[in-house]
Amino acid sequence: MTVTHILGYPRIGEKRELKFALESYWNGETDQSQLKQVADKIKLHNWSHQDNCELSYVTAGDFAWYDHVLGTSLLLGHVPKRHAKGFPDLDTLFRVGRGQSQSGCGCHGEAASDMTKWFNTNYHYIVPEFSSRDTFQVSWPQLFDEINEAQQKGHRVKPVLLGPLSYLYLGKEVEEGFDRLTLLPRLLTAYQAIIAKLEKLGVEWVQIDEPILALELDKVWLDSFKLAYQVIRGEVKVLLTTYFDSVVDTLDTIVDLEVDGLHVDLAAAPEQLEQVAERLPDDWVLSAGVVNGRNVWRANLYSALKQLQPVKDRLGDRLWVASSCSLLHTPVDLELETGLPTVTKNWFAFAKQKVSEVQWLAKALDGDDVAIQYCAQYSQPIIERDLSTWVNKPEVQKRIAGLNLKSGLRSAQYRQRAHHQKEVLKLPLLPTTTIGSFPQTGEVRNVRAAYKRGDIDFANYQSAMQGFIKDTVERQEAVGLDVLVHGEAERNDMVEYFAENLEGFQTTQFGWVQSYGSRCVKPAIVVADIERKKPITVEWSTYAQSLTDKPMKGMLTGPVTILCWTFPREDVPRETIANQLALALQDEVSDLQQAGINIIQIDEPAIREGLPLKANKHQDYLDWAVKAFRISAQTAKPETQIHTHMCYSEFNEIIESVAALDADVITIETSRSNMELLNAFEAFNYPNEIGPGVYDIHSPNIPSVEWIEQLIHKAATRIPVERLWVNPDCGLKTRNWEETEQSLKHLVQAAAQLREKLT
């Protein structure tokens, strides 16, 4: 019988139960036992579903309170000293992730640890911090408690563990001149202890994730794998797990390791199967990740069956069937989507359905006639979708074809534009602004929900939204910001809002995906040609501008970010989708500036995230990604100031492409990294204006005036002060008004004091 498993399951709950439980606990409304009850219910439900689908193993250890890297840090007793308050507990974890204990310890001044993206996904993790004094010991029992709990329920358990090399690689040194790889021997001692505990629990297989094996690693990192897996080798069998790209480049290293099997991602890199299967050691299993854990389209099970059958004939029971990666990157359950058209719903599979796909495919490989017939019939809607719903409208295709003749250049270069903008906008030194969104209160969300349900008509909805916008503008003027925003009360999400107002997208009701902690997003799905039939944001921005004499920013989400934060068609090039989005946004830019909006922000927080893992694919992606952004802004007049925003990204690899966007102002996240990200802009001599974030909006901490001044001073040592802006590091929708107003007052005060000193 073919062994089946998945690499992980969503932990937020079918209707985001974990999100609401976390936020209730953080707000002091519930205690820790109530929080854990919700988590336990979710875990039991997840295991039961895998068991009901007859998977060979249920996966344990994939649950995380904030993110799984932070969970690994606590497992290893590796917590920054500023957050350590005795033995690690749940509040320790929240202090590291959020910068503030929720148990009333009074630790309100602690800064949260740095956060960044998990490879090329929209999932975030807290970056481990390494120094020469670090030690590691098994300190957090969650993994072992979950294994024991699952076993007590009668499940055959395969725990998942982030591998030692990936854990080190994904962290950062906080001590100048220190090499974190020198910590490997100490770290391996802790991993030995973990494996020993797994043995005592009767674990047969452990899934050890080493996703960095899909990267192009330096020799010193590759060489370290052999030592690592010799040291941690025990009686428990190890499934070495890779995903997100091919491992052909590192296969020489992999096949020499002391492990018992290899998992590869065949959704991301199907071409690697032949070489991997051919070079697989005789006593290893091969876990084939054919069910895509990063998209919502049904698997083409019949195609997968034909792909794997020769490998099954060769390897027999040594071939396992699995999801390509953890299913945490997909929504939980398609069955909840009662509002989707039947024909459209038949195209999709969420996490719950993907578990069934894994099992049906395995049964077909074992020769089950019913399963073989099911795989053939199940794939038919995909074929029909390919033929009928990518509309290829002539007017869209004509505009796309014309792009080949255009470079996306604006009508004037930055220096000329800066001169025009200075005359029109009349902004002070160190102008202050925000990134776009303001607190989304319960009242705001309730009005949106009532309108969506049809409980109120558009006139009442519009009146309510205008009231929220007016309140937001008045609060900004009272604080003293120089460039205002309308606050985005009408937007549920920066991407979903545009998807709802553009042709070619399908949105869902419960298609939530965890980003980190309690933060969830609901990606739309690209199903057809993308078009803009009418203005989307113009009415709200012009109303906001009518309330103030200060400049009002128009707020748009960029084409690459919309692409990266939706589920794209799998049969259409991403570049094609990006170009269609760019043309739609170009029309919006034209209408905004015609309506008198002289500052327009086109957010691209996902442009680094979309970068392929392999360096030889970088330039092609960056070429079309940059082009798409420039097409969006191409019609902007010289006096129209184009902003863009990026957050939680490493810019060093793409700094030239960031500059090639040719935005007049770029705002970036730098508060958590203590301005470290500006090093890339200093070395490159970035030519345009920059707003390095000085206020970490993902933490409830209120930054002091002194803290903000210190960060601006640091920024001024790297970027000329006349090209610096002062702003938070991201939007403020997740914060409350009390925190927001106090923080922004400090921000404005710090900028004012520095203006006096500098002039």
Side-chain angles (χ1 to χ4, degrees):
M1 297 291 289
T2 300
V3 172
T4 52
H5 70 116
I6 58 172
L7 271 58
Y9 199 80
R11 57 261 191 154
I12 58 173
E14 292 183 344
K15 294 185 178 179
R16 296 181 293 163
E17 292 88 345
L18 182 63
K19 168 190 172 64
F20 301 119
L22 283 169
E23 292 173 356
S24 179
Y25 176 65
W26 293 338
N27 292 332
E29 298 163 357
T30 54
D31 60 25
Q32 200 168 110
S33 65
Q34 293 169 296
L35 173 62
K36 289 182 176 180
Q37 284 176 9
V38 173
D40 288 343
K41 187 175 180 180
I42 292 170
K43 286 181 281 187
L44 289 173
H45 180 272
N46 293 352
W47 296 332
S48 294
H49 176 61
Q50 294 171 59
D51 197 44
N52 292 339
C53 288
E54 301 179 350
L55 293 190
S56 305
Y57 295 96
V58 303
T59 301
D62 55 340
F63 180 86
W65 293 102
Y66 207 80
D67 75 75
H68 64 272
V69 181
L70 179 53
T72 304
S73 292
L74 263 74
L75 169 65
L76 298 167
H78 182 236
V79 177
K81 295 294 187 291
R82 65 184 180 277
H83 297 297
K85 312 290 179 185
F87 200 80
D89 61 9
L90 195 54
D91 286 323
T92 307
L93 184 146
F94 294 143
R95 279 199 299 272
V96 179
R98 305 182 70 242
Q100 182 181 19
S101 170
Q102 302 310 305
S103 62
C105 73
C107 307
H108 298 285
E110 298 163 346
S113 289
D114 197 6
M115 183 165 65
T116 194
K117 295 289 182 71
W118 175 250
F119 295 89
N120 56 352
T121 75
N122 190 30
Y123 182 74
H124 301 66
Y125 71 92
I126 297 297
V127 180
E129 300 174 12
F130 297 115
S131 70
S132 60
R133 300 175 300 280
D134 287 349
T135 58
F136 306 92
Q137 58 181 346
V138 181
S139 305
W140 177 245
Q142 179 181 327
L143 173 65
F144 313 109
D145 291 346
E146 289 179 10
I147 294 169
N148 184 62
E149 186 178 0
Q151 289 174 333
Q152 293 297 317
K153 296 295 180 181
H155 300 306
R156 191 182 182 194
V157 178
K158 177 211 63 182
V160 56
L161 182 66
L162 180 60
L165 271 302
S166 290
Y167 179 72
L168 278 178
Y169 190 90
L170 294 169
K172 67 175 184 178
E173 292 94 351
V174 292
E175 192 175 292
E176 190 172 351
F178 176 66
D179 179 5
R180 60 188 180 276
L181 193 53
T182 60
L183 293 172
L184 182 60
R186 297 181 214 170
L187 181 60
L188 293 178
T189 301
Y191 271 82
Q192 281 180 313
I194 294 170
I195 298 297
K197 284 179 175 288
L198 297 181
E199 290 177 12
K200 289 183 179 179
L201 287 169
V203 170
E204 180 185 6
W205 280 91
V206 59
Q207 170 189 322
I208 301 186
D209 288 1
E210 292 285 10
I212 64 168
L213 284 166
L215 304 177
E216 293 160 319
L217 296 172
D218 292 338
K219 187 175 183 299
V220 64
W221 282 92
L222 279 175
D223 290 346
S224 298
F225 273 91
K226 190 167 186 178
L227 167 66
Y229 284 86
Q230 283 176 338
V231 170
I232 68 174
R233 178 75 183 187
E235 295 301 316
V236 179
K237 294 179 181 178
V238 173
L239 178 67
L240 185 72
T241 311
T242 65
Y243 37 82
F244 298 156
D245 212 321
S246 169
V247 294
V248 168
D249 295 341
T250 54
L251 205 50
D252 288 342
T253 296
I254 291 171
V255 296
D256 283 339
L257 299 181
E258 295 289 331
V259 299
D260 303 280
L262 173 67
H263 172 88
V264 292
D265 184 340
L266 298 179
E271 70 281 357
Q272 67 181 315
L273 176 60
E274 185 176 346
Q275 289 192 55
V276 170
E278 185 178 319
R279 298 192 57 191
L280 193 76
D282 292 339
D283 56 346
W284 283 21
V285 302
L286 174 61
S287 172
V290 289
V291 173
N292 192 348
R294 291 186 59 176
N295 212 332
V296 295
W297 296 95
R298 276 189 175 192
N300 190 330
L301 295 181
Y302 193 67
S303 175
L305 178 61
K306 290 191 293 183
Q307 178 190 24
L308 292 183
Q309 192 63 63
V311 183
K312 175 68 174 178
D313 294 341
R314 189 190 320 172
L315 299 182
D317 289 344
R318 291 195 294 128
L319 177 67
W320 293 12
V321 175
S323 59
S324 63
C325 59
S326 173
L327 299 178
L328 73 89
H329 305 289
T330 57
V332 181
D333 186 6
L334 182 64
E335 293 173 7
L336 299 174
E337 300 299 329
T338 56
L340 285 179
T342 302
V343 64
T344 306
K345 191 172 181 177
N346 285 336
W347 297 336
F348 307 139
F350 291 0
K352 184 177 180 180
Q353 290 71 41
K354 288 177 183 292
V355 175
S356 297
E357 288 181 333
V358 168
Q359 193 60 21
W360 277 111
L361 179 57
K363 287 180 178 180
L365 284 168
D366 289 333
D368 185 311
D369 290 337
V370 173
I372 292 171
Q373 185 177 6
Y374 177 84
C375 287
Q377 293 175 341
Y378 186 80
S379 301
Q380 189 60 36
I382 301 175
I383 298 169
E384 294 172 354
R385 175 251 302 176
D386 290 346
L387 295 175
S388 64
T389 61
W390 189 261
V391 183
N392 290 316
K393 295 179 181 176
E395 58 271 26
V396 176
Q397 300 310 313
K398 184 177 180 180
R399 291 189 73 184
I400 292 292
L403 295 179
N404 296 327
L405 306 176
K406 300 177 182 179
S407 64
L409 291 174
R410 291 177 65 182
S411 59
Q413 294 186 350
Y414 166 71
R415 289 190 178 183
Q416 297 170 294
R417 301 197 307 262
H419 175 73
H420 286 290
Q421 292 159 17
K422 187 175 181 180
E423 288 187 342
V424 171
L425 299 174
K426 304 187 186 315
L427 297 173
L429 187 70
L430 297 173
T432 57
T433 190
T434 63
I435 303 306
S437 61
F438 269 87
Q440 297 258 325
T441 63
E443 186 182 6
V444 170
R445 294 194 299 271
N446 289 339
V447 170
R448 277 205 313 262
Y451 177 60
K452 201 165 189 177
R453 290 192 305 266
D455 295 346
I456 60 174
D457 60 17
F458 179 75
N460 284 306
Y461 168 74
Q462 182 185 48
S463 176
M465 288 296 122
Q466 287 180 344
F468 296 136
I469 291 171
K470 186 173 187 293
D471 177 64
T472 299
V473 171
E474 289 173 350
R475 289 176 189 260
Q476 291 174 86
E477 289 196 310
V479 165
L481 290 168
D482 299 307
V483 175
L484 312 188
V485 296
H486 77 285
E488 304 179 14
E490 80 286 0
R491 305 184 192 186
N492 45 6
D493 175 83
M494 65 183 290
V495 171
E496 187 180 16
Y497 176 74
F498 285 91
E500 289 175 339
N501 286 279
L502 291 168
E503 300 289 318
F505 285 98
Q506 176 66 63
T507 57
T508 64
Q509 186 178 1
F510 295 106
W512 296 100
V513 177
Q514 185 183 34
S515 187
Y516 60 89
S518 68
R519 178 80 172 112
C520 301
V521 294
K522 187 150 58 73
I525 308 164
V526 179
V527 295
D529 276 326
I530 295 166
E531 282 188 285
R532 171 186 175 271
K533 293 291 190 181
K534 60 182 181 180
I536 300 170
T537 68
V538 177
E539 177 187 344
W540 306 116
S541 293
T542 51
Y543 172 72
Q545 184 65 83
S546 73
L547 302 173
T548 180
D549 293 329
K550 290 189 172 183
M552 179 65 60
K553 272 198 291 190
M555 299 301 305
L556 308 178
T557 303
V560 179
T561 296
I562 295 178
L563 169 64
C564 288
W565 291 359
T566 53
F567 294 115
R569 289 277 295 243
E570 294 180 336
D571 57 329
V572 176
R574 294 167 73 215
E575 179 180 1
T576 299
I577 300 172
N579 284 338
Q580 291 192 353
L581 286 163
L583 289 171
L585 293 167
Q586 184 186 98
D587 294 342
E588 190 75 10
V589 167
S590 297
D591 285 347
L592 279 169
Q593 67 179 357
Q594 188 173 347
I597 304 298
N598 291 319
I599 302 180
I600 302 172
Q601 183 169 308
I602 308 174
D603 286 340
E604 283 291 21
I607 197 163
R608 170 62 180 82
E609 170 190 318
L611 195 70
L613 299 190
K614 305 292 189 187
N616 62 4
K617 300 177 183 177
H618 285 186
Q619 198 55 54
D620 178 63
Y621 161 75
L622 290 169
D623 286 347
W624 64 253
V626 168
K627 181 180 178 182
F629 179 89
R630 288 167 65 156
I631 291 167
S632 302
Q634 187 175 16
T635 56
K637 300 173 184 176
E639 59 269 26
T640 299
Q641 191 175 70
I642 296 294
H643 290 223
T644 191
H645 172 67
M646 300 178 185
C647 55
Y648 300 109
S649 296
E650 298 293 337
F651 297 105
N652 302 56
E653 298 177 48
I654 64 165
I655 187 63
E656 292 186 11
S657 296
V658 172
L661 296 175
D662 198 28
D664 299 300
V665 182
I666 177 174
T667 53
I668 58 175
E669 179 279 323
T670 52
S671 59
R672 282 199 179 206
S673 65
N674 203 23
M675 293 291 164
E676 288 177 12
L677 288 178
L678 280 185
N679 293 339
F681 291 87
E682 178 187 30
F684 177 72
N685 190 23
Y686 185 74
N688 300 10
E689 297 170 46
I690 300 181
V694 294
Y695 160 27
D696 175 16
I697 65 87
H698 294 88
S699 168
N701 289 341
I702 296 172
S704 67
V705 174
E706 294 73 25
W707 170 258
I708 294 173
E709 278 200 51
Q710 172 195 338
L711 290 179
I712 298 172
H713 270 298
K714 272 193 174 184
T717 64
R718 296 165 170 82
I719 307 296
V721 70
E722 62 271 14
R723 289 198 278 119
L724 275 179
W725 284 62
V726 182
N727 46 262
D729 61 13
C730 205
L732 295 158
K733 66 182 291 185
T734 61
R735 304 266 55 91
N736 63 48
W737 273 113
E738 183 180 1
E739 293 169 357
T740 296
E741 288 182 299
Q742 190 61 41
S743 298
L744 291 180
K745 284 177 183 176
H746 290 179
L747 183 148
V748 169
Q749 184 180 342
Q753 290 177 185
L754 281 172
R755 282 182 201 134
E756 286 190 16
K757 295 175 184 177
L758 293 169
T759 55

